[in-house]
Amino acid sequence: MPELPEVETIANGVDRRVRGDSIVSAWFSSYREPFTTPVDEMAAALPGLRIARVRRVGKHIVADLEATGPARGARAKAREEQQAAGQLLVHLGMTGRLLVTAPEVPWAPHTHAVLGLASGRELRFVDPRRFGRIGLVAGFTGPGSEPLTISKDDFAALFRGRKLSIKSALLNQKLLHGVGNIYADESLARAGIRPTRAAGRLTREQLDRLHKALRLVLQQAIRAGGSSVSDYVDADGEKGFFQIRHRVYQRTGEPCPVCGTPIRRVVLGGRSTHFCPSCQK
Ligand SMILES: [Zn+2]
């Protein structure tokens, strides 16, 4: 499952390649699962729309689409004619990939969507296991707050009075969107907070440390090109991800890099959770 840094990397890669390009054709596979909008509807709506921007929202990839008015007069006039025309919303699921390719590149097995672009290239959605989703939406902002931009005060307020563990709270997409298991464990390790602590019982100082640590690990991973342990490829179709040095994640029994105490693993809310019993209070 790609986590926030991987999705950010992919969204940025796709944005660099297709921003400003227009969709001229749309093809979809006959499988039903990948599509959250009927394919007939998408095939009718997409051609003619311009891709204004591609960005990450939580763990989704959002392509903002705009209708372009009939070409007439000055460029400024034309810009006024552009209207938001919804968004193409992609969730990569377990094995989904977005590829920007030349049309002569053979289709990968399990290709579910191919958007022909005015530049001559194609934007393809490939997903062998079909847990990924693609569809048309409008005004998508995601369910929770954005971990990379939320303020310290707003971050602290998210957890006030909550009895669930801080680890489960970090994974709750209604609070913060896009934080997955790796970055929850790693940010708690760096903040020195035990994952089992009740979210509402943490001090403001601890929450400030966690706010900083979470942004830091996410930004480090984005810089490293994501850190998925799975077999992911970036928007070019090449392997783009490297495993960052995890302090605790999947290092059960190994010495904590700070104090040498063996890393412990517990299951919390059904998720594997790793921490140093000495550094994390
Ligand atoms: Zn330690």
Side-chain angles (χ1 to χ4, degrees), residues 256 259 276 279:
C256 164
C259 73
C276 170
C279 293

mmCIF file of all heavy atoms in Angstrom, residues 256 259 276 279, ligand 1:
data_model
loop_
_atom_site.group_PDB
_atom_site.id
_atom_site.type_symbol
_atom_site.label_atom_id
_atom_site.label_comp_id
_atom_site.label_asym_id
_atom_site.label_seq_id
_atom_site.Cartn_x
_atom_site.Cartn_y
_atom_site.Cartn_z
ATOM 1 N N CYS A 256 17.470 -0.636 19.283
ATOM 2 C CA CYS A 256 17.093 0.745 19.007
ATOM 3 C C CYS A 256 18.356 1.515 18.622
ATOM 4 O O CYS A 256 19.377 1.409 19.306
ATOM 5 C CB CYS A 256 16.460 1.359 20.255
ATOM 6 S SG CYS A 256 16.349 3.162 20.215
ATOM 7 N N CYS A 259 19.355 3.830 21.800
ATOM 8 C CA CYS A 259 19.756 3.330 23.126
ATOM 9 C C CYS A 259 20.113 1.845 23.143
ATOM 10 O O CYS A 259 20.591 1.344 24.152
ATOM 11 C CB CYS A 259 18.637 3.590 24.134
ATOM 12 S SG CYS A 259 17.225 2.492 23.903
ATOM 13 N N CYS A 276 10.446 1.570 20.697
ATOM 14 C CA CYS A 276 11.517 1.311 21.655
ATOM 15 C C CYS A 276 10.941 1.499 23.051
ATOM 16 O O CYS A 276 10.528 2.607 23.409
ATOM 17 C CB CYS A 276 12.684 2.269 21.450
ATOM 18 S SG CYS A 276 13.873 2.154 22.798
ATOM 19 N N CYS A 279 13.067 4.410 24.936
ATOM 20 C CA CYS A 279 13.034 5.813 24.465
ATOM 21 C C CYS A 279 11.616 6.382 24.420
ATOM 22 O O CYS A 279 11.445 7.590 24.482
ATOM 23 C CB CYS A 279 13.627 5.936 23.060
ATOM 24 S SG CYS A 279 15.376 5.598 22.945
HETATM 25 ZN ZN ZN B 1 15.657 3.446 22.371
#
